[in-house]
């Protein structure tokens, strides 16, 4: 028996060897503890949501396919819950109990007190035109001015008592004004029988106070009690069941009435199924882990935000399936995320996500059975295979139109449904063809939405899509335009390297779009001091000669890498593009300045004259380093150089890079390096082709 530490060490070695089976020497990007914890929490959430139906929901519910044949064990009368709920809904909109609202009563009393105070100010005012709460007639004005303090107090108390009586009866804000005036007048019949002006003024004040007001509120408890009483009076809807009646047939959808009968006879299990839940939870958790492993195997430099995006989309899909149940559309849940991941993370990662999302489907699909899920998986596969090749957003829009149409036709043709045959045709349209068309339309809208959010995800999660690469490779972008104008020699050097690197990538099947775009930005750091680099020096003395300090000159060369990374962050270049800036130099020696320095001090350390790295960590940056080293050497060859001599020159540079350990982490094999070297020579051959000298006729002279 091996010790535990030795077994774990061997397992770790086995995993690393499997992870790097395609790229044996390519390093895996390590995640920090916070990133690992976040990914683990997201995996647990996905597993919990996926297994939730087996934890809290009954094993049967309306709409699901019946897992067995069920017969009634005895005669029974079962409450029809669906019909009962429909009756409650119909009564609920028109049946309610209202009670007095004490707060609203207090607000109305305060309004009356304000009106009485305003009337008192009108009575005491010397201005006859002062505006009061109501319009006063001449008799009312005279009565108001001549009344005594005792009469005012009695009159105010009479209005308060009348208001309380009206409030106790309940008010509605839709009562007609004439009816409200009549009610107010009736409440004041015994007020000052000999002074009709006081009575009419009191009626006006009450009407103004109560106009548009309501002191009633609905009591939910009493309303529900009244609804139940009405339902009891009308009779509770029931289902008559006889012994031996067939309740459900295996495979058929469970109706609401059948579910009520099953529940009545105790055939619905409502207890948590911990065994099944734990199995489903473990399966989902393992599936999330496998998804991350496959993605890291495909992309060893996979960043944690990319894993968060894949798991987040998986969690969103599981939540949609749980929320909508059996009515969820597999096409709308599976296809758009697959398209999005294929664009940003590659076809393999998208297919892995699609497989996990299909396997974790927690509920059966209604309408067309498992065929809908199979068609959704097939459509997502086509989307993943095609999206990985598309190079523009216009092509994505075309795919968003064609895929829903193809899925709709597949459901029409492949699903074995009952329908009416077309006239003169063997095709039989499904009876729910309209539902299938709606689902295809929903898929199209979801794919359009996914295409719209791709630019947001590119900046938020660091995705690098084909369309984004094509946009970054546009030479009219500000940074590239600045490079071409301020450092024209460097820009010309960049274009030459771009041709070499692109041909090298094509020869071994590497990412051509990535290496083309990375080549354009690999030397942007030379913008900080373009005249310190030989390709931009048109005339005059070399600044390095005037400086006469090899160590400072080495610092200038290293600065073009550091400044390039600063420009990459400032212009928000994606990380795979920014990696070309330091990795195309790796940890190479600055041989010229090292030689000068050792002439002055033979004991000086070589480390001080090496770039800070890192060395190339992908095939693309490795090819970029070789192209950068071979470009100047190939251009300096004389016109009569043979292909073999050019090949020897390229091979000498490549061998020097290998012996210096620059390509140890690039995952480039010997066979691939041979193909890259041959491609460099082919490009050189095209670059040095000769042109036929065209005869130029002598200028003719014309007489005046």
């Amino acid at each position: 028996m091996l010790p535990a530490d030795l077994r774990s060490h061997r397992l770790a070695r086995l995993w690393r060897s499997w992870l790097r089976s395609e790229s044996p020497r390519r390093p895996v990007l390590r995640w920090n503890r916070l990133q690992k914890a976040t990914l683990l929490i997201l995996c647990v959430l996905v597993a919990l949501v996926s297994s939730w139906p087996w934890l809290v929901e009954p094993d049967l519910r309306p709409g699901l396919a019946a897992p067995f044949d069920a017969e009634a064990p005895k005669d029974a009368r079962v409450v029809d819950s669906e019909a009962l709920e429909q009756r409650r809904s119909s009564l609920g909109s028109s049946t309610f109990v209202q009670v007095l609202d004490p707060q609203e009563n207090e607000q109305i009393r305060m309004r009356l007190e304000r009106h009485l105070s305003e009337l008192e100010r009108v009575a005491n005012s010397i201005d006859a035109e002062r505006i009061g709460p109501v319009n006063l007639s001449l008799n009312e004005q005279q009565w108001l001015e001549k009344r005594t303090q005792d009469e005012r107090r009695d009159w105010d108390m009479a209005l308060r008592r009348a208001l309380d009586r009206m409030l106790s009866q309940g008010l509605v804000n839709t009562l007609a004004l004439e009816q409200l005036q009549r009610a107010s007048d009736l409440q004041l019949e015994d007020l000052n029988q000999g002074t009709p002006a006081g009575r009419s003024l009191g009626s006006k004040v009450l009407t103004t106070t109560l106009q548009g007001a309501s002191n009633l509120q609905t009591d939910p408890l009493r309303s529900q009690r009244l609804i139940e009483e009405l339902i009891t009076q009308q009779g509770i809807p029931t289902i008559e069941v006889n012994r031996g009646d067939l309740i459900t047939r295996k495979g058929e959808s469970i109706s609401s009435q059948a579910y009520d009968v099953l529940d009545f006879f105790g055939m619905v299990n409502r207890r948590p199924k911990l065994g099944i839940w734990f199995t489903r939870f473990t399966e989902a958790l393992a599936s999330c882990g496998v998804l991350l492993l496959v993605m890291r195997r495909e992309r060893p430099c996979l960043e944690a935000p990319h894993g968060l995006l894949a798991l987040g989309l998986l969690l969103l899909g599981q939540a949609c399936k749980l929320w909508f149940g059996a009515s969820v559309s597999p096409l709308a849940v599976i296809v758009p995320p697959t398209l999005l991941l294929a664009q940003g993370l590659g076809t393999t990662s998208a297919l892995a996500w699609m497989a996990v999302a299909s396997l974790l489907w927690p509920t059966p699909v209604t309408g067309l059975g498992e065929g809908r899920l199979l068609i959704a998986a097939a459509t997502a596969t086509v989307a993943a295979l095609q999206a990985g090749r598309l190079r523009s957003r216009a092509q994505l829009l075309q795919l968003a139109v064609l895929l829903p149409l193809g899925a709709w036709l597949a459901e029409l043709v492949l699903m074995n449904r009952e329908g009416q045959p077309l006239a003169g045709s063997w095709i039989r349209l499904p009876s729910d063809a309209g539902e299938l068309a709606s689902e295809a339309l929903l898929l199209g809208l979801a794919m359009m939405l996914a295409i719209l959010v791709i630019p947001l995800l590119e900046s938020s999660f660091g995705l690098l899509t084909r369309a984004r690469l094509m946009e970054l490779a546009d030479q009219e972008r500000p940074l590239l335009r600045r490079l071409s104008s301020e450092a024209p020699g460097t820009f010309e050097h960049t274009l030459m390297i771009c041709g070499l690197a692109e041909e090298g990538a094509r020869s071994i099947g590497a990412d051509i779009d990535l290496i083309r775009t990375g080549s354009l930005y690999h030397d942007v750091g030379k913008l900080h001091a373009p005249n310190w680099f030989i390709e931009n020096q048109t005339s005059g003395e070399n600044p390095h000669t005037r400086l006469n300090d090899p160590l400072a000159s080495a610092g200038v060369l290293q600065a073009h890498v550091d400044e390039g990374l600063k420009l990459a962050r400032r212009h928000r270049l994606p990380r795979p593009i920014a990696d070309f800036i330091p990795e195309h130099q790796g940890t190479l020696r600055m041989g010229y300045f090292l030689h000068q320095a050792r002439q002055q001090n033979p004991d000086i350390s070589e480390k001080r004259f090496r770039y800070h790295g890192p060395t190339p960590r992908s095939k693309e940056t490795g090819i970029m380093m070789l192209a950068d080293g071979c470009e100047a050497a190939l251009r300096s060859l004389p016109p009569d150089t043979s292909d073999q001599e050019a090949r020897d020159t390229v091979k000498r540079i490549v061998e020097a890079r290998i012996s210096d350990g620059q390509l140890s982490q690039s995952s480039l094999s010997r066979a691939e390096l041979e193909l890259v070297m041959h491609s460099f020579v082919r490009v050189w051959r095209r670059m040095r082709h000769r042109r036929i000298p065209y005869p130029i006729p002598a200028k003719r002279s014309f007489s005046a």
Side-chain angles (χ1 to χ4, degrees), residues 38-286:
T38 305
L39 289 170
L40 179 60
I41 292 174
L42 206 53
C43 289
V44 172
L45 286 177
V46 172
L48 185 61
V49 173
S50 179
S51 59
W52 189 258
W54 289 274
L55 185 62
V56 298
E57 296 184 3
D59 56 350
L60 300 177
R61 62 177 181 271
L64 292 182
F68 49 78
D69 293 335
E71 295 183 354
K74 60 181 180 180
D75 297 343
R77 179 176 294 177
V78 182
V79 176
D80 190 341
S81 60
E82 184 178 24
L84 183 61
E85 188 60 32
Q86 290 178 354
R87 188 172 295 179
R88 283 199 184 101
S89 299
S90 62
L91 289 174
S93 59
S94 58
T95 305
F96 50 87
V97 176
Q98 291 184 316
V99 295
L100 298 179
D101 186 351
Q103 295 182 355
E104 188 62 31
N105 284 344
E106 188 62 28
Q107 292 291 333
I108 295 174
R109 291 190 183 98
M110 292 174 61
R111 193 183 309 164
L112 175 63
E113 295 300 327
R114 288 197 301 270
H115 291 167
L116 294 177
S117 299
E118 292 173 4
L119 281 176
E120 184 63 20
R121 286 195 294 270
V122 170
N124 297 331
S125 175
I126 60 175
D127 187 1
E129 301 297 330
R130 185 183 179 96
I131 299 176
V134 295
N135 295 325
L136 301 177
S137 65
L138 181 59
N139 292 336
E140 293 170 348
Q141 179 73 28
Q142 293 175 353
W143 176 84
L144 190 63
E145 295 174 353
K146 294 179 180 179
R147 66 178 181 172
T148 64
Q149 287 296 326
D150 292 338
E151 291 175 341
R152 181 186 68 82
R153 185 171 52 254
D154 294 341
W155 186 78
D156 290 351
M157 291 300 299
L159 262 62
R160 294 188 184 102
R161 289 192 297 270
L163 178 66
D164 288 339
R165 289 193 297 270
M166 297 182 71
L167 291 178
S168 64
Q169 297 172 356
L171 293 172
V172 293
N173 52 12
T174 57
L175 185 64
L177 182 61
E178 296 81 6
Q179 298 292 328
L180 187 58
Q181 290 175 343
R182 176 61 179 163
S184 301
D185 191 58
L186 290 175
Q187 292 293 338
L188 298 174
E189 281 185 345
D190 56 349
L191 177 62
N192 296 335
Q193 298 294 335
T195 56
R199 177 179 173 183
S200 64
L201 179 57
S203 176
K204 288 182 180 180
V205 172
L206 284 179
T207 302
T208 302
T209 302
L210 298 175
Q211 185 177 2
S214 174
N215 67 335
L216 298 177
Q217 63 178 355
T218 302
D219 188 332
L221 184 60
R222 297 184 183 184
S223 299
Q224 185 63 32
R225 192 179 302 159
L226 177 60
I227 291 173
E228 297 298 333
E229 292 176 358
L230 294 176
I231 291 176
T232 303
Q233 294 174 4
Q234 297 175 4
I236 299 176
T238 58
I239 305 170
E240 295 289 339
V241 181
N242 297 320
R243 180 178 180 181
D245 286 349
L246 182 65
I247 305 174
T248 59
R249 189 180 299 278
K250 183 177 180 179
E252 294 182 354
S253 178
I254 301 176
S255 65
S256 176
Q257 291 76 15
Y259 178 79
D260 291 335
V261 177
L262 290 172
D263 194 20
F264 178 82
F265 289 120
M267 299 182 185
V268 178
N269 184 9
R270 298 182 179 275
R271 293 172 297 180
K273 296 172 282 296
L274 295 180
I276 300 178
W277 171 81
F278 182 76
T279 301
R280 299 294 184 181
F281 181 87
T282 306
E283 288 178 355
L285 190 62

Side-chain angles (χ1 to χ4, degrees), residues 308-383:
L308 292 175
L309 175 62
L311 292 177
L313 291 174
L314 191 59
L315 178 62
L316 180 61
Q318 296 297 313
C320 289
K321 290 181 280 188
L322 190 62
W323 181 267
F324 294 104
S327 62
V328 70
S329 169
L331 286 171
V333 171
I334 294 179
V335 178
T338 303
L339 173 69
L340 192 152
L341 293 176
Q343 272 282 293
L345 300 178
T347 300
T348 303
S349 298
L351 290 176
W353 186 94
M354 181 271 298
V356 171
S358 301
L359 291 174
L360 294 184
W361 203 270
T363 55
V365 184
T366 59
L368 298 175
E370 298 300 329
R372 289 178 64 189
L373 187 57
L374 294 176
I375 289 178
T379 306
T381 302
V382 174

Side-chain angles (χ1 to χ4, degrees), residues 500-520:
L500 284 173
E502 184 177 343
E503 190 65 26
R506 185 177 288 109
S507 66
I508 65 171
D511 195 330
I512 299 174
D513 295 323
L514 176 61
I515 202 168
R516 178 192 299 116
T517 308
S519 300
L520 291 173

Side-chain angles (χ1 to χ4, degrees), residues 330-517:
L331 286 171
V333 171
I334 294 179
V335 178
T338 303
L339 173 69
L340 192 152
L341 293 176
Q343 272 282 293
L345 300 178
T347 300
T348 303
S349 298
L351 290 176
W353 186 94
M354 181 271 298
V356 171
S358 301
L359 291 174
L360 294 184
W361 203 270
T363 55
V365 184
T366 59
L368 298 175
E370 298 300 329
R372 289 178 64 189
L373 187 57
L374 294 176
I375 289 178
T379 306
T381 302
V382 174
L385 295 175
Q386 292 297 321
R389 306 174 185 175
L390 300 183
R391 300 162 61 85
S392 69
R393 305 198 193 277
Q395 292 175 327
L396 280 177
L397 291 175
Q398 293 175 359
L399 190 65
V401 174
L402 295 178
L403 272 183
L405 180 61
W408 179 64
L409 292 176
E411 287 184 334
L412 285 179
V413 174
L414 298 181
M415 293 294 98
N416 185 18
R417 301 285 291 175
E418 293 295 329
Q420 297 297 325
L422 295 175
S425 173
W426 56 273
I427 300 177
R428 301 174 64 86
L429 288 177
S431 57
D432 51 0
E435 178 185 350
L436 299 183
S438 301
E439 186 178 10
L441 180 61
L442 178 62
L443 171 61
L445 294 176
M447 293 185 66
M448 292 290 184
L449 179 61
I451 294 172
L452 288 176
V453 302
I454 282 178
L456 299 178
L457 297 178
E458 288 174 348
S459 58
S460 302
F461 292 91
L463 293 181
L464 189 59
T465 63
R466 295 292 163 192
R468 178 65 172 157
L469 282 173
M470 300 300 291
E471 293 170 357
L472 290 172
D474 183 5
Q475 296 183 19
E476 292 299 318
R477 294 187 69 86
L479 187 56
L480 295 180
R481 289 298 303 159
R482 184 184 167 195
L483 183 66
S484 66
S485 61
E486 298 181 20
T490 299
F491 187 70
E492 183 65 24
H493 158 78
T494 295
L495 296 180
M496 297 295 296
I497 286 182
C498 186
L500 284 173
E502 184 177 343
E503 190 65 26
R506 185 177 288 109
S507 66
I508 65 171
D511 195 330
I512 299 174
D513 295 323
L514 176 61
I515 202 168
R516 178 192 299 116
T517 308

